[in-house]
Amino acid sequence: MRSLTTHFSKALVVMSAVLSIGAVSANRAAGDELIVATFGDNTVLNYDSASGAFRGKFATLPANAGLSHPTFGPDGNLYVEGENSHAIYKLDGKTGAKLADFVPANSGILPLPFGIRFRNGIAYIGNFASDAAFTHGNILKFDATTGAFLGLFADVAGWVGGFDFGADGNVYVALRNTNRVDVYNGTTGAFIKTLIPKVFDETPGSFFTGCSMLEFGPDGNLYISRFSGLAGLGVVMKRYTPAGAFIGNVITDSYFETNLANQFAFAPGGIIDILDSTTGAIRQYDRVTGAFLRTLASNIAGGPTGIAYRPVVPADDLFVATFVDNVVLNFDSASGAFRGKFATLPANAGLSHPNFGPDSNLYIEGEQSHAIYRLDGKTGAKLNDFIPANNTLLPLPFGIRFRNGIAYIGNFASDAAFTHGNILKFDFATGTFLGLFADVAGWVGGFDFGADGNLYV
């Protein structure tokens, strides 16, 4: 089998390349900018995510706008809600310059905007409440490029406390007043089911005790938070599987019995940032254990109500893996200038398909060594063999995709007759083999997950 794979790989692949900015831009590296929106001062502030140092005012928006929920769009620009002005503002993601009112103020469409998600050219914007009786919220659709209103996506039977798209392509919505999570069809907006009937113990919920924010984490699980600020209610974040099974309380802190946990963000290194809008502090917790780590920033003025990370990728690096020399080279993506050798891997490894993982490290296939190597994404230092060499699982590795805590690795061909390939699953954190994902009736030439959550091979 090895002679077949060696011969075939040399015929097919001599060199593979990947732009690090394309793969790493979704990740947050230390030193990235942390953006804070203020409700009272209507300013957007800039902090260093590593030190917490204040970097300056990023933008000033109209008085009485009531800013909240800053969100970076797929175009790299920053979108900020004006809860009082009923607008969505679009700012240049690098300079903070105001580009346009993505949704104009007082348009009548957004009585109380609450949450923005971008997907497949559409901006989905929630309304905390959309009727005069304050019983229903909704999620609306807008063209992500022009801001043109595309219509109602979903009517929600409660206050929209936060929403996110799951790996299955459906929309998961936290309802603050009923303290539950409902699921809606990601294409039609039709109600599918109530996934979690009771998130926090207080049912029905209230503005302070019900679900205030919901987001899928880097591990693929569902994280749900609330404001609290009430005695005896220090549990401000819980974790559930995508199927709705309770995993455990993530953050329990008596601090939030007197302060409000307004919004959270997933920070570098397995950290969760929680914005305390009472004292203007950003508190950091270990995402796995829930242990309090430190106060990143404090005394943020102006009524801070929202935080977001802006990924700062240094000059775009182009990485090239070589099959014969087994080295990884670094080029400037703008000028094409050679920057140097990034890494050298074992002789006869047969390198191919470099791919940045969600941890910002570089994963490279050894087609002849039947291994997956993991390199430090900044220095090129070899961290470990993610999949050890000469194992029987990867006769001819061909393609890697990361999704919800799992690494999916393809085999160009997986049988001695060279008629079938397959795609295997590995635990992303440990490299542990999790089993066969799909048997493919042909040579695996490449694969990717679609917006519908399905795999295209």
Side-chain angles (χ1 to χ4, degrees):
M1 182 70 176
R2 185 168 301 176
S3 62
L4 281 174
T5 58
T6 300
H7 173 75
F8 209 82
S9 353
K10 284 187 176 177
L12 280 177
V13 181
V14 174
M15 185 180 290
S16 299
V18 62
L19 272 169
S20 70
I21 190 166
V24 176
S25 59
N27 299 304
R28 300 156 180 164
D32 291 356
E33 292 175 342
L34 178 61
I35 299 296
V36 179
T38 67
F39 190 91
D41 286 353
N42 299 292
T43 56
V44 182
L45 308 176
N46 190 344
Y47 289 81
D48 184 282
S49 69
S51 67
F54 178 57
R55 286 179 168 174
K57 190 179 293 184
F58 190 66
T60 300
L61 288 169
N64 301 317
L67 302 185
S68 187
H69 294 95
T71 304
F72 279 92
D75 56 2
N77 292 317
L78 183 65
Y79 295 75
V80 186
E81 299 168 10
E83 291 190 10
N84 289 338
S85 60
H86 317 290
I88 305 294
Y89 303 102
K90 182 164 73 168
L91 310 179
D92 185 287
K94 293 182 178 179
T95 67
K98 186 169 178 283
L99 300 177
D101 290 349
F102 182 71
V103 180
N106 301 311
S107 64
I109 298 174
L110 298 177
L112 185 49
F114 205 88
I116 309 173
R117 299 291 179 188
F118 293 92
R119 190 177 178 88
N120 299 332
I122 296 176
Y124 296 81
I125 302 177
N127 272 308
F128 180 85
S130 56
D131 62 336
F134 237 65
T135 59
H136 275 230
N138 63 25
I139 300 173
L140 307 179
K141 297 191 300 181
F142 298 81
D143 185 285
T145 302
T146 65
F149 179 51
L150 301 179
L152 174 71
F153 172 70
D155 182 66
V156 178
W159 302 343
V160 175
F163 64 95
D164 199 4
F165 282 88
D168 57 4
N170 294 321
V171 179
Y172 293 68
V173 184
L175 284 72
R176 183 175 292 189
N177 56 332
T178 56
N179 210 357
R180 70 173 192 258
V181 174
D182 288 347
V183 184
Y184 293 80
N185 184 286
T187 302
T188 67
F191 174 77
I192 296 176
K193 63 181 177 181
T194 294
L195 179 73
I196 307 171
K198 181 180 179 181
V199 177
F200 294 97
D201 292 337
E202 295 69 39
T203 302
S206 71
F207 189 83
F208 297 101
T209 64
C211 315
S212 63
M213 189 174 171
L214 171 155
E215 187 170 346
F216 282 95
D219 57 1
N221 291 315
L222 196 57
Y223 290 73
I224 306 169
S225 70
R226 66 173 172 184
F227 276 2
S228 190
L230 302 173
L233 302 184
V235 179
V236 292
M237 182 178 289
K238 295 190 173 188
R239 178 166 45 218
Y240 292 80
T241 69
F246 178 59
I247 297 174
N249 296 332
V250 183
I251 297 174
T252 302
D253 190 341
S254 59
Y255 176 90
F256 288 112
E257 294 183 21
T258 54
N259 299 286
L260 296 181
N262 196 305
Q263 190 176 352
F264 70 86
F266 294 106
I271 294 172
I272 293 176
D273 288 356
I274 294 190
L275 175 64
D276 161 24
S277 58
T278 305
T279 68
I282 299 173
R283 291 170 66 85
Q284 294 193 317
Y285 296 82
D286 186 282
R287 179 170 57 82
V288 177
T289 67
F292 172 68
L293 301 175
R294 64 170 177 166
T295 298
L296 177 67
S298 59
N299 300 316
I300 301 173
T305 49
I307 54 177
Y309 278 90
R310 177 164 80 87
V312 178
V313 181
D316 303 346
D317 287 325
L318 176 64
F319 290 95
V320 177
T322 67
F323 188 91
V324 177
D325 288 349
N326 298 292
V327 294
V328 182
L329 308 176
N330 189 345
F331 292 82
D332 184 285
S333 67
S335 67
F338 177 57
R339 287 179 170 168
K341 190 180 293 184
F342 190 66
T344 300
L345 288 168
N348 301 317
L351 302 183
S352 185
H353 295 95
N355 201 339
F356 278 91
D359 57 0
S360 298
N361 292 318
L362 186 62
Y363 293 74
I364 305 182
E365 302 165 10
E367 292 191 6
Q368 294 192 45
S369 60
H370 317 286
I372 304 295
Y373 304 103
R374 182 167 65 172
L375 309 180
D376 184 288
K378 293 182 178 179
T379 67
K382 186 170 178 282
L383 300 177
N384 60 14
D385 292 349
F386 181 69
I387 309 297
N390 299 314
N391 68 88
T392 59
L393 298 171
L394 300 177
L396 184 49
F398 204 87
I400 309 174
R401 297 293 178 187
F402 299 95
R403 189 176 178 87
N404 299 330
I406 296 176
Y408 296 82
I409 302 178
N411 273 306
F412 182 86
S414 56
D415 61 336
F418 241 65
T419 59
H420 276 228
N422 64 24
I423 298 171
L424 306 179
K425 296 191 300 180
F426 297 83
D427 183 280
F428 169 67
T430 64
T432 303
F433 177 53
L434 301 178
L436 175 70
F437 175 70
D439 182 66
V440 179
W443 300 340
V444 174
F447 61 95
D448 199 3
F449 284 91
D452 56 5
N454 293 320
L455 192 68
Y456 294 74
V457 183

